[in-house]
Structure formats: structure tokens, C-alpha cells
PDB file of all heavy atoms in Angstrom:
ATOM      1  N   ILE A   1       0.832  -1.208   0.000  1.00 97.00           N
ATOM      2  CA  ILE A   1       0.000   0.000   0.000  1.00 97.00           C
ATOM      3  C   ILE A   1       0.863   1.253   0.000  1.00 97.00           C
ATOM      4  O   ILE A   1       0.643   2.188  -0.783  1.00 97.00           O
ATOM      5  CB  ILE A   1      -0.939  -0.005   1.219  1.00 97.00           C
ATOM      6  CG1 ILE A   1      -1.963  -1.151   1.111  1.00 97.00           C
ATOM      7  CG2 ILE A   1      -1.647   1.341   1.368  1.00 97.00           C
ATOM      8  CD1 ILE A   1      -2.759  -1.383   2.378  1.00 97.00           C
ATOM      9  N   ASN A   2       1.894   1.269   0.846  1.00 97.00           N
ATOM     10  CA  ASN A   2       2.606   2.517   1.111  1.00 97.00           C
ATOM     11  C   ASN A   2       3.729   2.844   0.138  1.00 97.00           C
ATOM     12  O   ASN A   2       4.120   4.026   0.049  1.00 97.00           O
ATOM     13  CB  ASN A   2       3.135   2.513   2.545  1.00 97.00           C
ATOM     14  CG  ASN A   2       2.020   2.623   3.569  1.00 97.00           C
ATOM     15  OD1 ASN A   2       1.031   3.315   3.334  1.00 97.00           O
ATOM     16  ND2 ASN A   2       2.152   1.929   4.682  1.00 97.00           N
ATOM     17  N   VAL A   3       4.258   1.866  -0.594  1.00 97.00           N
ATOM     18  CA  VAL A   3       5.242   2.250  -1.624  1.00 97.00           C
ATOM     19  C   VAL A   3       4.544   2.888  -2.815  1.00 97.00           C
ATOM     20  O   VAL A   3       5.184   3.456  -3.694  1.00 97.00           O
ATOM     21  CB  VAL A   3       6.114   1.052  -2.100  1.00 97.00           C
ATOM     22  CG1 VAL A   3       6.943   0.489  -0.975  1.00 97.00           C
ATOM     23  CG2 VAL A   3       5.276  -0.012  -2.782  1.00 97.00           C
ATOM     24  N   LYS A   4       3.213   2.756  -2.826  1.00 96.00           N
ATOM     25  CA  LYS A   4       2.381   3.424  -3.843  1.00 96.00           C
ATOM     26  C   LYS A   4       2.760   3.021  -5.265  1.00 96.00           C
ATOM     27  O   LYS A   4       2.861   3.854  -6.175  1.00 96.00           O
ATOM     28  CB  LYS A   4       2.437   4.944  -3.677  1.00 96.00           C
ATOM     29  CG  LYS A   4       1.810   5.433  -2.366  1.00 96.00           C
ATOM     30  CD  LYS A   4       1.873   6.932  -2.230  1.00 96.00           C
ATOM     31  CE  LYS A   4       1.035   7.445  -1.057  1.00 96.00           C
ATOM     32  NZ  LYS A   4       1.357   6.820   0.233  1.00 96.00           N
ATOM     33  N   GLY A   5       2.948   1.700  -5.452  1.00 94.00           N
ATOM     34  CA  GLY A   5       3.108   1.176  -6.795  1.00 94.00           C
ATOM     35  C   GLY A   5       1.804   1.270  -7.562  1.00 94.00           C
ATOM     36  O   GLY A   5       0.757   1.666  -7.011  1.00 94.00           O
ATOM     37  N   ASN A   6       1.844   0.903  -8.839  1.00 92.00           N
ATOM     38  CA  ASN A   6       0.655   1.067  -9.686  1.00 92.00           C
ATOM     39  C   ASN A   6      -0.538   0.240  -9.228  1.00 92.00           C
ATOM     40  O   ASN A   6      -1.682   0.558  -9.557  1.00 92.00           O
ATOM     41  CB  ASN A   6       0.999   0.707 -11.136  1.00 92.00           C
ATOM     42  CG  ASN A   6       1.839   1.772 -11.798  1.00 92.00           C
ATOM     43  OD1 ASN A   6       1.807   2.932 -11.421  1.00 92.00           O
ATOM     44  ND2 ASN A   6       2.620   1.385 -12.796  1.00 92.00           N
ATOM     45  N   ALA A   7      -0.290  -0.844  -8.486  1.00 93.00           N
ATOM     46  CA  ALA A   7      -1.395  -1.694  -8.028  1.00 93.00           C
ATOM     47  C   ALA A   7      -1.938  -1.282  -6.667  1.00 93.00           C
ATOM     48  O   ALA A   7      -2.936  -1.848  -6.208  1.00 93.00           O
ATOM     49  CB  ALA A   7      -0.946  -3.149  -7.978  1.00 93.00           C
ATOM     50  N   ALA A   8      -1.322  -0.305  -6.023  1.00 94.00           N
ATOM     51  CA  ALA A   8      -1.697   0.033  -4.649  1.00 94.00           C
ATOM     52  C   ALA A   8      -3.151   0.459  -4.527  1.00 94.00           C
ATOM     53  O   ALA A   8      -3.788   0.242  -3.489  1.00 94.00           O
ATOM     54  CB  ALA A   8      -0.780   1.123  -4.114  1.00 94.00           C
ATOM     55  N   TYR A   9      -3.710   1.041  -5.589  1.00 93.00           N
ATOM     56  CA  TYR A   9      -5.105   1.514  -5.510  1.00 93.00           C
ATOM     57  C   TYR A   9      -6.073   0.369  -5.231  1.00 93.00           C
ATOM     58  O   TYR A   9      -7.165   0.593  -4.677  1.00 93.00           O
ATOM     59  CB  TYR A   9      -5.494   2.204  -6.822  1.00 93.00           C
ATOM     60  CG  TYR A   9      -5.827   1.269  -7.944  1.00 93.00           C
ATOM     61  CD1 TYR A   9      -7.132   0.863  -8.181  1.00 93.00           C
ATOM     62  CD2 TYR A   9      -4.826   0.740  -8.764  1.00 93.00           C
ATOM     63  CE1 TYR A   9      -7.445  -0.021  -9.205  1.00 93.00           C
ATOM     64  CE2 TYR A   9      -5.127  -0.139  -9.788  1.00 93.00           C
ATOM     65  CZ  TYR A   9      -6.426  -0.516 -10.003  1.00 93.00           C
ATOM     66  OH  TYR A   9      -6.724  -1.403 -11.007  1.00 93.00           O
ATOM     67  N   ILE A  10      -5.698  -0.855  -5.587  1.00 93.00           N
ATOM     68  CA  ILE A  10      -6.584  -2.011  -5.394  1.00 93.00           C
ATOM     69  C   ILE A  10      -6.840  -2.240  -3.901  1.00 93.00           C
ATOM     70  O   ILE A  10      -7.905  -2.745  -3.514  1.00 93.00           O
ATOM     71  CB  ILE A  10      -5.985  -3.269  -6.045  1.00 93.00           C
ATOM     72  CG1 ILE A  10      -5.859  -3.064  -7.567  1.00 93.00           C
ATOM     73  CG2 ILE A  10      -6.821  -4.515  -5.752  1.00 93.00           C
ATOM     74  CD1 ILE A  10      -5.149  -4.207  -8.286  1.00 93.00           C
ATOM     75  N   LEU A  11      -5.883  -1.853  -3.061  1.00 93.00           N
ATOM     76  CA  LEU A  11      -6.022  -2.051  -1.612  1.00 93.00           C
ATOM     77  C   LEU A  11      -6.288  -0.737  -0.877  1.00 93.00           C
ATOM     78  O   LEU A  11      -6.104  -0.664   0.340  1.00 93.00           O
ATOM     79  CB  LEU A  11      -4.759  -2.706  -1.049  1.00 93.00           C
ATOM     80  CG  LEU A  11      -4.406  -4.097  -1.568  1.00 93.00           C
ATOM     81  CD1 LEU A  11      -3.264  -4.685  -0.760  1.00 93.00           C
ATOM     82  CD2 LEU A  11      -5.611  -5.036  -1.523  1.00 93.00           C
ATOM     83  N   ALA A  12      -6.735   0.278  -1.576  1.00 91.00           N
ATOM     84  CA  ALA A  12      -6.978   1.572  -0.937  1.00 91.00           C
ATOM     85  C   ALA A  12      -7.999   1.436   0.195  1.00 91.00           C
ATOM     86  O   ALA A  12      -9.009   0.742   0.066  1.00 91.00           O
ATOM     87  CB  ALA A  12      -7.472   2.581  -1.964  1.00 91.00           C
ATOM     88  N   GLY A  13      -7.706   2.086   1.309  1.00 92.00           N
ATOM     89  CA  GLY A  13      -8.644   2.112   2.426  1.00 92.00           C
ATOM     90  C   GLY A  13      -8.577   0.918   3.356  1.00 92.00           C
ATOM     91  O   GLY A  13      -9.447   0.773   4.226  1.00 92.00           O
ATOM     92  N   LEU A  14      -7.561   0.064   3.220  1.00 95.00           N
ATOM     93  CA  LEU A  14      -7.456  -1.116   4.078  1.00 95.00           C
ATOM     94  C   LEU A  14      -6.628  -0.836   5.325  1.00 95.00           C
ATOM     95  O   LEU A  14      -5.695  -0.024   5.303  1.00 95.00           O
ATOM     96  CB  LEU A  14      -6.803  -2.275   3.325  1.00 95.00           C
ATOM     97  CG  LEU A  14      -7.502  -2.833   2.093  1.00 95.00           C
ATOM     98  CD1 LEU A  14      -6.825  -4.129   1.664  1.00 95.00           C
ATOM     99  CD2 LEU A  14      -8.976  -3.075   2.356  1.00 95.00           C
ATOM    100  N   THR A  15      -6.972  -1.550   6.385  1.00 96.00           N
ATOM    101  CA  THR A  15      -6.156  -1.587   7.593  1.00 96.00           C
ATOM    102  C   THR A  15      -5.758  -3.035   7.836  1.00 96.00           C
ATOM    103  O   THR A  15      -6.626  -3.919   7.827  1.00 96.00           O
ATOM    104  CB  THR A  15      -6.927  -1.042   8.811  1.00 96.00           C
ATOM    105  OG1 THR A  15      -7.321   0.304   8.551  1.00 96.00           O
ATOM    106  CG2 THR A  15      -6.062  -1.088  10.061  1.00 96.00           C
ATOM    107  N   ILE A  16      -4.453  -3.274   8.037  1.00 97.00           N
ATOM    108  CA  ILE A  16      -3.955  -4.637   8.224  1.00 97.00           C
ATOM    109  C   ILE A  16      -3.255  -4.720   9.572  1.00 97.00           C
ATOM    110  O   ILE A  16      -2.388  -3.898   9.888  1.00 97.00           O
ATOM    111  CB  ILE A  16      -2.968  -5.031   7.101  1.00 97.00           C
ATOM    112  CG1 ILE A  16      -3.662  -4.985   5.732  1.00 97.00           C
ATOM    113  CG2 ILE A  16      -2.422  -6.432   7.337  1.00 97.00           C
ATOM    114  CD1 ILE A  16      -3.274  -3.803   4.892  1.00 97.00           C
ATOM    115  N   LYS A  17      -3.633  -5.702  10.380  1.00 97.00           N
ATOM    116  CA  LYS A  17      -2.979  -5.865  11.681  1.00 97.00           C
ATOM    117  C   LYS A  17      -3.058  -7.331  12.105  1.00 97.00           C
ATOM    118  O   LYS A  17      -3.874  -8.112  11.594  1.00 97.00           O
ATOM    119  CB  LYS A  17      -3.639  -4.985  12.735  1.00 97.00           C
ATOM    120  CG  LYS A  17      -5.091  -5.321  13.019  1.00 97.00           C
ATOM    121  CD  LYS A  17      -5.685  -4.396  14.077  1.00 97.00           C
ATOM    122  CE  LYS A  17      -7.136  -4.779  14.390  1.00 97.00           C
ATOM    123  NZ  LYS A  17      -7.722  -3.891  15.424  1.00 97.00           N
ATOM    124  N   ALA A  18      -2.187  -7.710  13.041  1.00 97.00           N
ATOM    125  CA  ALA A  18      -2.218  -9.065  13.589  1.00 97.00           C
ATOM    126  C   ALA A  18      -3.509  -9.264  14.359  1.00 97.00           C
ATOM    127  O   ALA A  18      -4.008  -8.346  15.030  1.00 97.00           O
ATOM    128  CB  ALA A  18      -1.015  -9.294  14.491  1.00 97.00           C
ATOM    129  N   GLY A  19      -4.075 -10.479  14.258  1.00 96.00           N
ATOM    130  CA  GLY A  19      -5.302 -10.790  14.977  1.00 96.00           C
ATOM    131  C   GLY A  19      -5.046 -11.142  16.427  1.00 96.00           C
ATOM    132  O   GLY A  19      -3.899 -11.349  16.847  1.00 96.00           O
ATOM    133  N   SER A  20      -6.099 -11.224  17.200  1.00 94.00           N
ATOM    134  CA  SER A  20      -5.970 -11.577  18.613  1.00 94.00           C
ATOM    135  C   SER A  20      -5.686 -13.060  18.792  1.00 94.00           C
ATOM    136  O   SER A  20      -5.111 -13.466  19.799  1.00 94.00           O
ATOM    137  CB  SER A  20      -7.243 -11.182  19.368  1.00 94.00           C
ATOM    138  OG  SER A  20      -8.383 -11.825  18.799  1.00 94.00           O
ATOM    139  N   GLU A  21      -6.085 -13.886  17.827  1.00 93.00           N
ATOM    140  CA  GLU A  21      -5.800 -15.317  17.880  1.00 93.00           C
ATOM    141  C   GLU A  21      -4.455 -15.594  17.223  1.00 93.00           C
ATOM    142  O   GLU A  21      -4.017 -14.866  16.325  1.00 93.00           O
ATOM    143  CB  GLU A  21      -6.900 -16.096  17.162  1.00 93.00           C
ATOM    144  CG  GLU A  21      -8.276 -15.961  17.784  1.00 93.00           C
ATOM    145  CD  GLU A  21      -8.339 -16.539  19.180  1.00 93.00           C
ATOM    146  OE1 GLU A  21      -7.688 -17.580  19.422  1.00 93.00           O
ATOM    147  OE2 GLU A  21      -9.025 -15.946  20.051  1.00 93.00           O
ATOM    148  N   PRO A  22      -3.769 -16.672  17.648  1.00 93.00           N
ATOM    149  CA  PRO A  22      -2.464 -16.988  17.052  1.00 93.00           C
ATOM    150  C   PRO A  22      -2.569 -17.211  15.539  1.00 93.00           C
ATOM    151  O   PRO A  22      -3.548 -17.760  15.042  1.00 93.00           O
ATOM    152  CB  PRO A  22      -2.057 -18.282  17.772  1.00 93.00           C
ATOM    153  CG  PRO A  22      -2.838 -18.290  19.037  1.00 93.00           C
ATOM    154  CD  PRO A  22      -4.136 -17.615  18.717  1.00 93.00           C
ATOM    155  N   ASN A  23      -1.543 -16.753  14.831  1.00 95.00           N
ATOM    156  CA  ASN A  23      -1.421 -16.984  13.387  1.00 95.00           C
ATOM    157  C   ASN A  23      -2.590 -16.421  12.587  1.00 95.00           C
ATOM    158  O   ASN A  23      -2.972 -16.969  11.559  1.00 95.00           O
ATOM    159  CB  ASN A  23      -1.263 -18.475  13.076  1.00 95.00           C
ATOM    160  CG  ASN A  23       0.069 -19.004  13.544  1.00 95.00           C
ATOM    161  OD1 ASN A  23       1.088 -18.325  13.432  1.00 95.00           O
ATOM    162  ND2 ASN A  23       0.063 -20.211  14.084  1.00 95.00           N
ATOM    163  N   THR A  24      -3.151 -15.328  13.048  1.00 98.00           N
ATOM    164  CA  THR A  24      -4.240 -14.701  12.293  1.00 98.00           C
ATOM    165  C   THR A  24      -3.870 -13.263  11.949  1.00 98.00           C
ATOM    166  O   THR A  24      -3.149 -12.584  12.697  1.00 98.00           O
ATOM    167  CB  THR A  24      -5.569 -14.700  13.075  1.00 98.00           C
ATOM    168  OG1 THR A  24      -5.414 -13.962  14.287  1.00 98.00           O
ATOM    169  CG2 THR A  24      -6.023 -16.117  13.365  1.00 98.00           C
ATOM    170  N   VAL A  25      -4.366 -12.810  10.822  1.00 98.00           N
ATOM    171  CA  VAL A  25      -4.234 -11.421  10.418  1.00 98.00           C
ATOM    172  C   VAL A  25      -5.621 -10.908  10.081  1.00 98.00           C
ATOM    173  O   VAL A  25      -6.437 -11.623   9.487  1.00 98.00           O
ATOM    174  CB  VAL A  25      -3.264 -11.254   9.224  1.00 98.00           C
ATOM    175  CG1 VAL A  25      -3.772 -11.986   7.993  1.00 98.00           C
ATOM    176  CG2 VAL A  25      -3.031  -9.787   8.899  1.00 98.00           C
ATOM    177  N   VAL A  26      -5.905  -9.677  10.489  1.00 98.00           N
ATOM    178  CA  VAL A  26      -7.224  -9.089  10.280  1.00 98.00           C
ATOM    179  C   VAL A  26      -7.087  -7.924   9.302  1.00 98.00           C
ATOM    180  O   VAL A  26      -6.299  -6.999   9.530  1.00 98.00           O
ATOM    181  CB  VAL A  26      -7.841  -8.597  11.602  1.00 98.00           C
ATOM    182  CG1 VAL A  26      -9.190  -7.944  11.340  1.00 98.00           C
ATOM    183  CG2 VAL A  26      -7.991  -9.769  12.576  1.00 98.00           C
ATOM    184  N   VAL A  27      -7.843  -8.010   8.223  1.00 98.00           N
ATOM    185  CA  VAL A  27      -7.872  -6.951   7.224  1.00 98.00           C
ATOM    186  C   VAL A  27      -9.244  -6.277   7.320  1.00 98.00           C
ATOM    187  O   VAL A  27     -10.278  -6.942   7.216  1.00 98.00           O
ATOM    188  CB  VAL A  27      -7.639  -7.496   5.808  1.00 98.00           C
ATOM    189  CG1 VAL A  27      -7.651  -6.357   4.788  1.00 98.00           C
ATOM    190  CG2 VAL A  27      -6.321  -8.257   5.737  1.00 98.00           C
ATOM    191  N   THR A  28      -9.226  -4.976   7.513  1.00 97.00           N
ATOM    192  CA  THR A  28     -10.461  -4.210   7.676  1.00 97.00           C
ATOM    193  C   THR A  28     -10.603  -3.213   6.529  1.00 97.00           C
ATOM    194  O   THR A  28      -9.630  -2.550   6.154  1.00 97.00           O
ATOM    195  CB  THR A  28     -10.458  -3.453   9.013  1.00 97.00           C
ATOM    196  OG1 THR A  28     -10.225  -4.382  10.073  1.00 97.00           O
ATOM    197  CG2 THR A  28     -11.792  -2.765   9.251  1.00 97.00           C
ATOM    198  N   THR A  29     -11.807  -3.119   5.987  1.00 96.00           N
ATOM    199  CA  THR A  29     -12.078  -2.187   4.891  1.00 96.00           C
ATOM    200  C   THR A  29     -12.958  -1.046   5.378  1.00 96.00           C
ATOM    201  O   THR A  29     -13.726  -1.208   6.334  1.00 96.00           O
ATOM    202  CB  THR A  29     -12.785  -2.897   3.728  1.00 96.00           C
ATOM    203  OG1 THR A  29     -14.070  -3.365   4.167  1.00 96.00           O
ATOM    204  CG2 THR A  29     -11.978  -4.095   3.252  1.00 96.00           C
ATOM    205  N   GLU A  30     -12.862   0.111   4.710  1.00 93.00           N
ATOM    206  CA  GLU A  30     -13.702   1.246   5.087  1.00 93.00           C
ATOM    207  C   GLU A  30     -15.157   0.998   4.732  1.00 93.00           C
ATOM    208  O   GLU A  30     -16.072   1.414   5.457  1.00 93.00           O
ATOM    209  CB  GLU A  30     -13.209   2.503   4.364  1.00 93.00           C
ATOM    210  CG  GLU A  30     -11.830   2.967   4.814  1.00 93.00           C
ATOM    211  CD  GLU A  30     -11.355   4.181   4.025  1.00 93.00           C
ATOM    212  OE1 GLU A  30     -12.016   4.531   3.027  1.00 93.00           O
ATOM    213  OE2 GLU A  30     -10.335   4.773   4.414  1.00 93.00           O
ATOM    214  N   ASN A  31     -15.387   0.326   3.612  1.00 90.00           N
ATOM    215  CA  ASN A  31     -16.734   0.032   3.140  1.00 90.00           C
ATOM    216  C   ASN A  31     -16.879  -1.463   2.934  1.00 90.00           C
ATOM    217  O   ASN A  31     -15.881  -2.192   2.798  1.00 90.00           O
ATOM    218  CB  ASN A  31     -16.994   0.761   1.816  1.00 90.00           C
ATOM    219  CG  ASN A  31     -16.870   2.262   1.953  1.00 90.00           C
ATOM    220  OD1 ASN A  31     -17.550   2.883   2.766  1.00 90.00           O
ATOM    221  ND2 ASN A  31     -15.976   2.863   1.158  1.00 90.00           N
ATOM    222  N   PRO A  32     -18.098  -1.977   2.909  1.00 92.00           N
ATOM    223  CA  PRO A  32     -18.272  -3.406   2.630  1.00 92.00           C
ATOM    224  C   PRO A  32     -17.556  -3.804   1.336  1.00 92.00           C
ATOM    225  O   PRO A  32     -17.663  -3.099   0.327  1.00 92.00           O
ATOM    226  CB  PRO A  32     -19.792  -3.553   2.501  1.00 92.00           C
ATOM    227  CG  PRO A  32     -20.346  -2.421   3.314  1.00 92.00           C
ATOM    228  CD  PRO A  32     -19.384  -1.283   3.138  1.00 92.00           C
ATOM    229  N   ASP A  33     -16.825  -4.908   1.367  1.00 94.00           N
ATOM    230  CA  ASP A  33     -16.031  -5.287   0.192  1.00 94.00           C
ATOM    231  C   ASP A  33     -15.909  -6.812   0.083  1.00 94.00           C
ATOM    232  O   ASP A  33     -14.877  -7.394   0.395  1.00 94.00           O
ATOM    233  CB  ASP A  33     -14.646  -4.659   0.259  1.00 94.00           C
ATOM    234  CG  ASP A  33     -13.862  -4.848  -1.026  1.00 94.00           C
ATOM    235  OD1 ASP A  33     -14.426  -5.377  -2.001  1.00 94.00           O
ATOM    236  OD2 ASP A  33     -12.675  -4.475  -1.064  1.00 94.00           O
ATOM    237  N   PRO A  34     -16.973  -7.472  -0.391  1.00 95.00           N
ATOM    238  CA  PRO A  34     -16.893  -8.925  -0.574  1.00 95.00           C
ATOM    239  C   PRO A  34     -15.810  -9.356  -1.552  1.00 95.00           C
ATOM    240  O   PRO A  34     -15.416 -10.530  -1.564  1.00 95.00           O
ATOM    241  CB  PRO A  34     -18.289  -9.274  -1.117  1.00 95.00           C
ATOM    242  CG  PRO A  34     -19.165  -8.142  -0.724  1.00 95.00           C
ATOM    243  CD  PRO A  34     -18.293  -6.937  -0.738  1.00 95.00           C
TER     244      PRO A  34
END
């Protein structure tokens, strides 16, 4: 997202962080995004 390559717009508005459970990552979007 942050190097702002040409594909970065595809992930615009995402938040990525480690989950509370082991070996999980949580990706959050600003708007619903199936």
C-alpha cells in the first residue's frame, strides 16, 4: 500500500494488523467489500 506502486489503488482504504488469535491477520475495509 505505502510504496504506492501502480497496483496500490486495489487495496486503498485497508487496515492490516495481527489478529488476537495466534497466526491470524485481520484486514479491515472502510466500506463493505466482498
